[in-house]
Amino acid sequence: AGLSNGQRVVTVQKGPLYRVRGSHITLWCKVSGYQGPAEQNFQWSIYLPSAPEREVQIVSTIDPSFPYAIYTQRVRSQEIYVERVQGDSVLLHITTLKDEDAGEYECHTPSTDERYFGSYSAKTNLSVVADTLSASMVPQILTHPEGDMVELACEVSKSTAQHTHLSVGWYHLLGSEDHHTEEILTLSRDFVLRPGPSYTQRFLAGDVRLNKIGNTIYKLSIGGVELSDQGQLYCEAAEWIEDPDKTWKDISRKQTERMSLTVISQGRDLSVVITAAESSLSEGDSLQLSCMVEAQKGSSRQFQVLWLLNSMEVARVDPRGVLIWKEEYEERAKLGQLRAFKQSNTVSVLIIYEVGLKDNGMYHCSVSEMKTPGDFNIVQSNLSSGIQVNVKPVGYRMHLSVSTSTPHVMAGDALILLCHVQGATSPVSVQWWHLPPQHPGPQVLVATMERDGTLSLGSTYHNNRTRGSLRLEKASSGAFTLVIPNVLDEGDGGRYGCKVTEWFKGQSWTKEGETTVTVSSMAGLNLHATLRSRIATVRYGQSFELDCQVSASYTLEEVPVSVMWLFQPSLPTDHYHELVRVLPNGTTAWSTAQAHFQGKAQLMKTATSFRLCLHSAMDADQGTYQCVVEVWRRNAQPLGQSAATVRSNSVGIKVVLPESKLQVSTKESSVEIAGGADAAIECRIVFAQNNSQFAVTWYLLPHLADAPPLQILRASYSSILEYGAEFSSPDKKSRFLSQRMSSNVFWLKILSANPGDQGRYYCVVEEWLWLVDSWYKLGEGASGRTTLEFKLPEHELHLEKTNYSISAREGEDVTLHCLLQDSCPPTARILAIWFQGKESSDTKPLVTVHRDGAIEYSWESLSRRLHLRRPTAGDFSLTLHSVEEGDAGVYYCQVQEWQQQSEGKNWVMQALAHSGYTQLTTIPPGNATRCSWCTGFSLAILGCWGRIMTALCWWCWLQWQER
């Protein structure tokens, strides 16, 4: 058994599934196409939404140690278990579903096959939703004669987010045990009415109906009620959801409380009489009722007696004399306040000791004849006539107390008085009076509330403009409050009394009480506020405290006081802004305009002052501070007009950075190197704070005295490099490096230095410090100058030293000559640089031909207009295309001879030479006509004489133009 030639397939209940929290759920899993024994093993795991990639083991049919710790106890207690349906099919049970049980479930079958072939696990998703289903019915006891119409309403609702259906059914419980339940009528989830077997014929005849009223009410109607309908009735609602496999599952069921239905037989041989020893009682008296059955051979018949008050069951005594109290009477029965028993088979007695008002009402007794003592079949029933029992209140039990929540008030505050009445069982009238201090005269009427709620004020309190609108309220059945919104002065203090009168059947009982109130006048307020600070200059990150001292003729605890802190930033154009306001009830309201204060400010209050403590001061906290103190009348806060307001003096707070201790060595020095060697310029910090960071900027001073220094590069405190414009080429970036050699020494490394690198170098060190919320620059210092000099080689190259003067029209091409007259050894490499400007003045390199033949332009835009033609090895002539006005000036070239010392060694400059100077003059395009001999002549003349002859040539050309 269990052998198959196919592949293994594990199938699990299709998801996603939605089940209700707290319910008992099952998930099925089965395997097919397996080899091996017919009884296969199963292992269940879950992948929680919080960790969808992590397997959490739950339960196994083969391994008791399989569950993880979080499921071990639930598996041991059988809250989670696996039920084997067949050898290759199981059900996973979770008896009490929890929110944390939601996730992706995996069913795995360990292999029993000769080889792995097919699937060995399957997954499904389970979501846990809240149980929103509710079913309720108004509790009542129904007593109807045979043939009467009985109607019951059941309210059912749900609010599940998923699409669900409802079914609602009515059931009849014959006895106290649930197994005697029969179905009356059910509205299925498919909206089909289905009667129970015992009610089918009456349903078809239209006597049993179920109607839906509105969205939530389901009403059961039973026409022509029969004795067999007697018993307990209840309503059950179920919520259904359609699973992905198209089957419907009930995910929640709710039952209402059970209703008792008594059906009175119309038989004539059974009559019931109820009597009372006394039906008009006072509180504390005893009530005794008797229920007598008149029937033939009554002593040998089986009778059940129900005691009813206002149609609600109190107790029942079955044929064997067993007493059952209704739930709300059980406690009184245990205390001995109630008693019910059978005096004989035809006489039953109910006694209530010390009756109260809740025992008022109409009493009945209902008698039902049963076939046998233990049977639930009623032969006939009858209901007695009713007896009205009246319980009168007793006035002497009334007590009252008078109190006030405001025994000491300031003028303008509200006065609140409370009169608490206990033991009154009839309507009462309440009268408030006042006796001012030092006035032993008659009491002054304040206000009256009659029994019907009518209010009236005493003549002194008619004008509500002075004391406000008086409020006399009944807070509860025995609590009366009097509120005077605005007491005037000391005269409103003194004694206040409450007089309560209870009325019953023309009689009245009066109780009286009083309390004392003290009123303090707010006249002559002496309110002052002074703002102080221990320090006026604060360093970044430091805390400071502002103390708003308040002086008055009373303490701050006696009256409602609010404080407002104001701030004016240091800019002269700014005005005061509100920082924060603390209301009398302690509520703090921060201004959004200065939001940065909220997270760093601490507010405090003492008996005589308000304090504002600001932590971690920064630049935004610098400015002027003030405090504004307001004293309020309690009935006016927080709106209305304050009783007194005072504004303090101003206190200025200046926030400064810590003083920089930075010292940089200013010692002048010089460095001499041979061509091609590496150079190092030192920048030394003599002293600085331990926790500072440094930014170092290196500069080169040009030859001209008034020319600004050239920035080589800047290394920020976070080691970010930024090169200057003249040193941003790839060649310069690769040769000029900034290195930190130690905590206080920085080097500018110049790799393979050449004569063009000669000059005076220095550094500027910036000291940075992290304060509160950012990095701040504390100061800076410049080093002394370090002169970099080249030791020129003894060998000298020979370049053409002839000086030229050339004129060219704008737009023409011009060639500038640079001819090397020596022949170089085969191992030598030549480096040539063209400059504009004289060597001793502000020169700038234009283009460089490196040793390896690479051409580097100082500006990318020059690459389109400069051309090194190099027809021979020693020719470094430069051609300028499309001459522009800005090209006018002096040009010369520099040629260097380099040789490598040995294989793998550095290159060393062996010789250096400069060409002669070429003066280029540009002619605007409008002056295109000139004598050819003048142009040729000017090109041939040299030096100073050349410039004189050029000027004569121009004079000649102008004379020719005039002719």
Side-chain angles (χ1 to χ4, degrees), residues 106 245 347 351 390 429 459 533 548 652 671-672 715 742 876:
E106 181 180 39
D245 61 1
V347 178
I351 301 176
N390 295 313
S429 61
S459 58
S533 176
C548 183
V671 176
E672 184 181 58
S742 65
F876 298 93

Side-chain angles (χ1 to χ4, degrees), residues 402 415 417 433-434 461 484 492-498 513-515 517:
V402 181
L415 174 61
L417 300 166
W433 53 263
H434 172 225
Y461 295 84
I484 302 176
D492 280 347
R495 294 157 52 200
Y496 285 85
C498 172
E514 65 181 53
T515 187
V517 174

Side-chain angles (χ1 to χ4, degrees), residues 276-351:
E278 178 64 50
S279 60
S280 180
L281 305 169
S282 296
E283 287 182 286
D285 294 340
S286 296
L287 170 66
Q288 179 172 325
L289 299 173
S290 298
C291 180
M292 293 172 288
V293 180
E294 297 178 356
Q296 295 180 357
K297 300 180 181 180
S299 59
S300 61
R301 296 160 71 172
Q302 308 299 321
F303 299 116
Q304 176 180 268
V305 178
L306 267 69
W307 289 100
L308 307 172
L309 171 58
N310 298 325
S311 299
M312 303 294 289
E313 181 178 340
V314 176
R316 67 171 62 203
V317 183
D318 71 5
R320 292 173 293 191
V322 177
L323 172 63
I324 301 174
W325 290 102
K326 203 62 179 171
E327 182 179 358
E328 53 266 38
Y329 292 93
E330 288 180 350
E331 185 65 26
R332 294 177 66 186
K334 292 178 181 178
L335 296 174
Q337 299 175 2
L338 304 176
R339 186 183 176 200
F341 59 93
K342 271 193 174 183
Q343 197 174 53
S344 67
N345 195 47
T346 58
V347 178
S348 297
V349 178
L350 172 66
I351 301 176

Side-chain angles (χ1 to χ4, degrees), residues 317 795 807 914 947:
V317 183
H795 175 60
S807 297
H914 294 108
R947 286 190 288 274

Side-chain angles (χ1 to χ4, degrees), residues 535 538-545 596-602 612-622 625 653-658 770-774 776:
I535 50 176
V538 184
R539 297 195 183 279
Y540 267 72
Q542 190 178 356
S543 299
F544 65 93
E545 185 176 276
H596 78 277
F597 282 90
Q598 183 172 356
K600 55 190 286 183
Q602 183 180 3
L612 173 65
C613 182
L614 289 174
H615 302 284
S616 302
M618 54 186 183
D619 187 63
D621 303 336
Q622 181 169 288
Y625 293 80
I653 298 295
K654 184 178 181 181
V655 181
V656 297
L657 290 170
W770 176 267
L771 297 170
V772 185
D773 61 337
S774 184
Y776 289 86

Side-chain angles (χ1 to χ4, degrees), residues 790-863:
F790 255 70
K791 183 178 180 181
L792 294 177
E794 297 177 358
H795 175 60
E796 183 176 354
L797 288 175
H798 294 90
L799 281 178
E800 183 181 4
K801 297 291 186 176
T802 306
N803 295 327
Y804 292 95
S805 180
I806 303 175
S807 297
R809 293 194 303 271
E810 293 178 18
E812 288 182 348
D813 296 343
V814 171
T815 299
L816 309 175
H817 297 283
C818 179
L819 299 175
L820 179 62
Q821 296 174 347
D822 295 335
S823 60
C824 297
T827 58
R829 296 289 185 269
I830 299 300
L831 183 148
I833 308 173
W834 272 98
F835 295 90
Q836 184 180 19
K838 287 193 175 181
E839 184 179 10
S840 60
S841 62
D842 187 18
T843 62
K844 57 183 178 181
L846 300 177
V847 60
T848 302
V849 182
H850 291 282
R851 297 190 302 262
D852 58 358
I855 299 177
E856 178 186 0
Y857 295 91
S858 298
W859 297 276
E860 188 62 29
S861 58
L862 295 176
S863 63

Side-chain angles (χ1 to χ4, degrees), residues 708-779:
L710 301 177
Q711 178 181 326
I712 303 171
L713 68 92
R714 180 179 188 271
S716 70
Y717 59 82
S718 56
S719 301
I720 297 175
L721 299 180
E722 179 184 354
Y723 282 82
E726 285 78 9
F727 293 82
S728 59
S729 66
D731 174 67
K732 294 291 180 64
K733 287 183 177 180
S734 65
R735 292 198 310 111
F736 287 80
L737 306 175
S738 180
Q739 295 181 349
R740 186 168 188 172
M741 307 307 296
S742 65
S743 61
N744 65 329
V745 176
F746 296 82
W747 278 8
L748 174 66
K749 290 294 292 290
I750 307 174
L751 305 180
S752 300
N754 59 58
D757 300 330
Q758 294 183 104
R760 292 191 300 159
Y761 293 81
Y762 69 97
C763 70
V764 174
V765 180
E766 301 168 11
E767 183 180 16
W768 291 80
L769 192 64
W770 176 267
L771 297 170
V772 185
D773 61 337
S774 184
W775 287 95
Y776 289 86
K777 180 180 174 182
L778 302 186

